[in-house]
Amino acid sequence: MQFEPGDRRRVLPRHLRPQPEPDVFSYSIRAARSGDLPYVREIYNHFVSNSVVTLDERRSSIPYWREKFALLNKLGLPFLVAVSPAGVVIGYALAQPWAGKNAYRYTVEDSIYLGPGAGGKGLGAALLQALIDACEQLGIREMVAVISDTKADASIRLHARLGFVEAGRTGRVGHKFGRDLGTVYMRRALRPSRRRKFFSMSSGR
């Protein structure tokens, strides 16, 4: 049957009309590349300027991230990014040396940040799990998280969900935006799949 122009029967009933495809939040996780660093810097600087999630008060620079990227590559530690289908970095996770002494070479500190709009969709858990898996494959035995104690409930819940337990708290060790801030320490024992290759993490002091 064909409808003539102006025939009201051309409008399908609501239940027969094509429904728009729902927006699907999708991403892939891979090792960071040097070209990702401007995106990583902007994600981190958003939190520097707008929150106490990080106690850094000065926005970071590209040379800073290049230096960190080179150090993690030298030490063989994971630096992961989550990338949208359009190729935009929407979050990152990295493991960095804990305390900078050689005796701590089997322990790392995690750092995870999500871009605006990427939170609350499971990305944080996916990045943290990928980071844990990568560290276990490298022979890391322990992962530590240092979390600001102000408005940090989401980060604490995320780490607890993935097996971290609270290891201690400090009070009023930081000061930002006119507020005194403490930290929450959480830790997780890892299950290394092989012996860690040794890299010196300090100058020997």
Side-chain angles (χ1 to χ4, degrees):
M1 175 185 293
Q2 292 185 342
F3 296 133
E4 296 297 327
D7 192 330
R8 297 185 62 184
R9 289 176 299 174
R10 296 179 67 204
V11 179
L12 291 172
R14 184 180 299 275
H15 68 281
L16 295 178
R17 297 175 194 170
Q19 298 298 313
E21 291 293 328
D23 291 332
V24 177
F25 181 69
S26 60
Y27 56 86
S28 58
I29 296 176
R30 58 166 172 78
R33 304 165 184 160
S34 58
D36 300 324
L37 299 182
Y39 296 102
V40 169
R41 179 193 63 171
E42 289 308 309
I43 290 173
Y44 185 71
N45 283 348
H46 170 78
F47 289 95
V48 171
S49 300
N50 298 287
S51 80
V52 294
V53 170
T54 171
L55 298 188
D56 275 346
E57 295 182 295
R58 295 183 178 179
R59 293 169 62 86
S60 60
S61 65
I62 290 295
Y64 166 85
W65 283 104
R66 285 176 179 160
E67 183 177 345
K68 182 181 286 287
F69 181 71
L71 174 64
L72 297 184
N73 278 338
K74 176 183 177 181
L75 297 176
L77 293 175
F79 188 161
L80 308 176
V81 292
V83 183
S84 74
V88 177
V89 175
I90 57 176
Y92 71 89
L94 59 85
Q96 56 195 343
W98 171 252
K101 300 292 185 181
N102 288 341
Y104 295 116
R105 61 187 174 273
Y106 297 109
T107 301
V108 294
E109 177 184 349
D110 75 77
S111 182
I112 300 176
Y113 288 90
L114 305 182
K121 301 175 181 179
L123 177 57
L127 272 170
L128 182 53
Q129 186 62 63
L131 191 69
I132 290 169
D133 293 344
C135 286
E136 289 182 331
Q137 292 171 14
L138 291 170
I140 301 297
R141 301 174 184 172
E142 196 85 8
M143 184 175 287
V144 177
V146 183
I147 304 169
S148 170
D149 67 355
T150 300
K151 296 183 179 179
D153 292 346
S155 185
I156 292 173
R157 286 196 302 269
L158 167 63
H159 283 82
R161 191 160 65 246
L162 290 183
F164 285 73
V165 296
E166 186 173 321
R169 291 181 180 239
T170 62
R172 302 180 65 180
V173 294
H175 188 83
K176 186 176 180 180
F177 299 149
R179 296 149 60 188
D180 292 324
L181 302 166
T183 55
V184 179
Y185 287 78
M186 301 187 76
R187 56 168 290 272
R188 171 176 162 159
L190 304 185
R191 298 178 179 177
S193 59
R194 65 185 179 90
R195 185 177 180 83
R196 171 144 173 81
K197 186 176 180 181
F198 176 75
F199 291 93
S200 177
M201 293 186 180
S202 73
S203 59
R205 293 193 300 271

